[in-house]
Amino acid sequence: MALWYGKMDLNRLTEVAKGTLVEHVGIEYLEAGDHDLKARMPVDRRTVQPYGILHGGASVVLAETLGSAAANCCVDRERERCVGLEINANHLRPVGSGYVYGTARPIHIGRRTQVWEIRIENEDGDLVCIARLTLAVTAL
């Protein structure tokens, strides 16, 4: 059984991201499984630090984008929304070019909170960053 509330629509996720930081850094949603959401982000002038490697903050942007989008797809968006409470990230490996790929998977889906793990890998599948995002489920 799928995790999502209603139909998961990657086109809708892309549409609501227009004009936001998500679009600015080039995050693209790739696929949604029954229990995960995947996206990629380019490692380019928008996402690197002055030393030419992926900025840790950019990894956190990808992680929070994926976790928040996934969390909000688990609730009735006519009545509720999920907002970030806390995020932590461990940066494990530098990346200088290409893309990084993130996958968000739930750890806890509750009535008031959700916790998601987001794994970010390079093009070779090596772990670059691992993050955990805690969100509050709030009424509209």
Side-chain angles (χ1 to χ4, degrees), residues 70-85:
N72 277 288
C73 289
C74 293
V75 298
D76 179 354
R77 290 179 301 278
E78 301 281 321
R79 300 178 334 131
E80 298 174 309
R81 72 173 160 206
C82 298
V83 295
L85 289 173

Side-chain angles (χ1 to χ4, degrees), residues 44-132:
D44 63 17
R45 62 177 174 67
R46 299 168 292 177
T47 59
V48 297
Q49 55 169 265
Y51 303 108
I53 60 174
L54 181 64
H55 194 293
S59 293
V60 173
V61 168
L62 177 57
E64 183 146 3
T65 297
L66 269 169
S68 293
N72 277 288
C73 289
C74 293
V75 298
D76 179 354
R77 290 179 301 278
E78 301 281 321
R79 300 178 334 131
E80 298 174 309
R81 72 173 160 206
C82 298
V83 295
L85 289 173
E86 189 268 340
I87 189 167
N88 69 58
N90 295 101
H91 307 290
L92 306 172
R93 173 178 279 107
V95 180
S97 63
Y99 284 89
V100 289
Y101 296 83
T103 304
R105 290 186 179 93
I107 296 171
H108 167 74
I109 304 293
R111 288 186 357 208
R112 299 285 178 244
T113 61
Q114 294 187 23
V115 180
W116 289 79
E117 175 185 82
I118 302 91
R119 298 175 62 87
I120 300 173
E121 299 174 343
N122 64 18
E123 292 179 321
D124 293 328
D126 299 318
L127 189 60
V128 170
C129 175
I130 188 156
R132 187 180 64 237

Side-chain angles (χ1 to χ4, degrees), residues 10-60:
L10 297 180
N11 291 326
R12 188 188 74 68
L13 293 179
T14 300
E15 187 62 33
V16 299
K18 286 192 176 176
T20 71
L21 178 63
V22 176
E23 181 181 48
H24 177 72
V25 298
I27 294 172
E28 301 171 81
Y29 294 102
L30 299 176
E31 68 179 82
D34 286 343
H35 297 93
D36 62 17
L37 179 62
K38 296 179 182 181
R40 73 178 185 172
M41 180 178 68
V43 179
D44 63 17
R45 62 177 174 67
R46 299 168 292 177
T47 59
V48 297
Q49 55 169 265
Y51 303 108
I53 60 174
L54 181 64
H55 194 293
S59 293
V60 173

